[in-house]
Structure formats: C-alpha cells, structure tokens
Amino acid sequence: MMTTAAQVARNFLSEVRSGRNPQAASIYMSDLVFAHQITSEERITITRTPDQYVEHVLEMKAEYGDFKFEIEELIAEGDKVYARWNQKGAGVLQLTSCVYRVENEKIAEYWIQIDRLGIELQKEGKK
C-alpha cells in the first residue's frame, strides 16, 4: 500500500520533529535532504542526513526541554505538503511553516520559515 505525501509529512512531524522519537528520522527522510532556509531575508540551502536531523531535534530538546508540539495546518497537493506548527518549551513559542517535497515515500527537500527574531526576543524577555 502506497503512503501519500501528506501521510509521510504528518508522521514525520508527529513522530520525529515533535521530539517524541527523533531516531525514526531515517524512516521518513531520504539519505540526503535539501533544506532551504531563510536567515535574515537571505536564502540558504543546506543538506541534512537523517542522522544530522536526529542531532538537530536532540539539540532543540536540550535547549527547550520536552517541548509541546502542535500541527496547526497540513495541506497536500501532489508531492508537496505545506505544514504550519507551533512549538512551546522553556517559555518560548516558536511558529514555523514548511513545504515538504516527498519522493519515493520519503522527504527529499523542504523549504522552512521560522521567526528566529521572535524566538531570540522571547529568550531575552523582550517579547
């Protein structure tokens, strides 16, 4: 039975990105994933392996504790899935949106936007 792009993205977010089971990253991610990010209005692309993504989630857990993660919206069309979520931990609210491209039932690429300035201001107690 074929897994849809929406199912792949939802399961990845619910299990891996949520911090519940980061070690399951290789189930949902290709061996090499292109991660397109925006930092200070500059577009950058990095590559991530599933193991590197596990480390990324573990770093977030170290910084924010066992954070609460909630998918607010998930919309799929073809091989692309738009997701919007919030993450709350250590007194910080993170709002994020991302578009995932799924290939062969695994995430191959994504475009992510995070309010990094808002996170920093919350950490400094200015927001």
Side-chain angles (χ1 to χ4, degrees):
M1 187 161 104
M2 189 166 193
T3 305
T4 67
Q7 289 169 319
V8 170
R10 182 178 300 281
N11 292 343
F12 169 77
L13 290 167
S14 298
E15 192 170 342
V16 178
R17 179 60 185 76
S18 70
R20 282 188 26 227
N21 184 14
Q23 289 75 17
S26 62
I27 295 170
Y28 304 104
M29 297 177 74
S30 296
D31 292 340
L32 190 63
V33 176
F34 293 93
H36 308 283
Q37 303 176 0
I38 300 203
T39 302
S40 299
E41 301 306 317
E42 184 176 331
R43 298 173 193 212
I44 61 169
T45 299
I46 63 170
T47 54
R48 280 208 166 121
T49 66
D51 287 341
Q52 289 169 327
Y53 201 86
V54 169
E55 289 303 313
H56 173 62
V57 174
L58 293 177
E59 287 169 2
M60 282 188 290
K61 287 184 75 154
E63 186 165 349
Y64 301 109
D66 287 330
F67 51 83
K68 181 181 174 202
F69 183 89
E70 178 185 9
I71 299 170
E72 295 181 353
E73 189 168 26
L74 195 99
I75 302 168
E77 184 173 326
D79 65 349
K80 293 210 174 111
V81 180
Y82 166 81
R84 183 170 46 85
W85 66 84
N86 71 66
Q87 172 183 312
K88 297 174 188 169
V92 174
L93 171 63
Q94 181 185 94
L95 303 173
T96 305
S97 63
C98 190
V99 174
Y100 295 98
R101 186 177 66 79
V102 176
E103 182 178 283
N104 298 321
E105 300 185 5
K106 292 197 175 198
I107 295 168
E109 189 171 19
Y110 63 86
W111 295 261
I112 191 163
Q113 292 187 314
I114 302 169
D115 180 9
R116 296 182 197 282
L117 177 59
I119 293 169
E120 290 307 313
L121 290 174
Q122 289 176 77
K123 287 180 181 178
E124 295 171 10
K126 294 180 180 175
K127 191 171 183 186

